[in-house]
Amino acid sequence: MVNTYTLNGDKIWSLESLFKEFAIAVNAPNNYFGTNLTQFDDCLFGGFGLEAPCVIIWENHEISKQHLDSKKLLEYCSEIRQNVEMILADNEQDYDKGYLVEVIQNCDNILKQGLAGELTLFEIT
C-alpha cells in the first residue's frame, strides 16, 4: 500500500511553515519535522511519521514557490554560512573542519546560483 500525504501550499511561505505543514500531513510525533533542512532530511528517513512507500502531494505549490524564492534562499544560506564560520572560529571545540569547509563551499555555490536567480529555496526543498 502506498501512503499519500498532502501539504497545503497556502500555508507554506517559509521553511518553518514547511516543516510545520509536513509534520501535520504525516502526523509526526509532537508535530516535529525539523527546524532546518538537515533535520528535515533526517525526519524524512527517520521514522517521524512518514511511512514509505508514499506519495507527497503539494497542493497550491505555486503559492509556496512565490514565497520560497531566491531571496529566501540567500537568507538561508547566508545564515548557515555565518553559523559555520562561527563554529570554525571556535578553536575550543573538536569539529570535523573538513566537513565544515565543505558546507561553506556548498553554501557559496548555492549563493552564486541564488544571486543569479537560477535557484530558489523552493527548488532545494
Side-chain angles (χ1 to χ4, degrees):
M1 179 176 135
V2 176
N3 297 297
T4 301
Y5 303 103
T6 304
L7 302 175
N8 182 352
D10 290 331
K11 296 182 178 181
I12 300 172
W13 57 86
S14 66
L15 284 178
E16 294 80 14
S17 60
L18 169 65
F19 304 146
K20 179 180 176 182
E21 284 302 306
F22 224 101
I24 291 168
V26 303
N27 196 26
N30 300 317
N31 278 335
Y32 174 81
F33 217 82
T35 59
N36 62 47
L37 289 175
T38 301
Q39 292 172 359
F40 179 73
D41 186 57
D42 289 344
C43 289
L44 285 172
F45 300 99
F48 282 82
L50 186 73
E51 294 184 29
C54 67
V55 172
I56 300 168
I57 299 170
W58 193 329
E59 293 178 341
N60 301 315
H61 66 276
E62 301 87 5
I63 294 169
S64 302
K65 188 173 184 175
Q66 290 174 356
H67 292 288
L68 301 174
D69 58 8
S70 293
K71 181 180 175 185
K72 290 278 191 198
L73 176 64
L74 295 174
E75 291 170 7
Y76 180 75
C77 283
S78 295
E79 181 180 325
I80 295 294
R81 193 180 198 295
Q82 182 179 17
N83 290 340
V84 171
E85 285 175 344
M86 288 186 335
I87 292 169
L88 280 171
D90 182 7
N91 292 323
E92 301 291 319
Q93 300 294 326
D94 184 30
Y95 294 106
D96 181 350
K97 292 188 179 176
Y99 170 75
L100 295 175
V101 168
E102 185 179 324
V103 168
I104 289 176
Q105 291 170 342
N106 287 339
C107 283
D108 288 346
N109 289 334
I110 290 170
L111 285 168
K112 286 177 191 173
Q113 293 177 52
L115 285 170
E118 299 169 353
L119 192 60
T120 67
L121 190 55
F122 179 82
E123 292 165 332
I124 67 166
T125 56

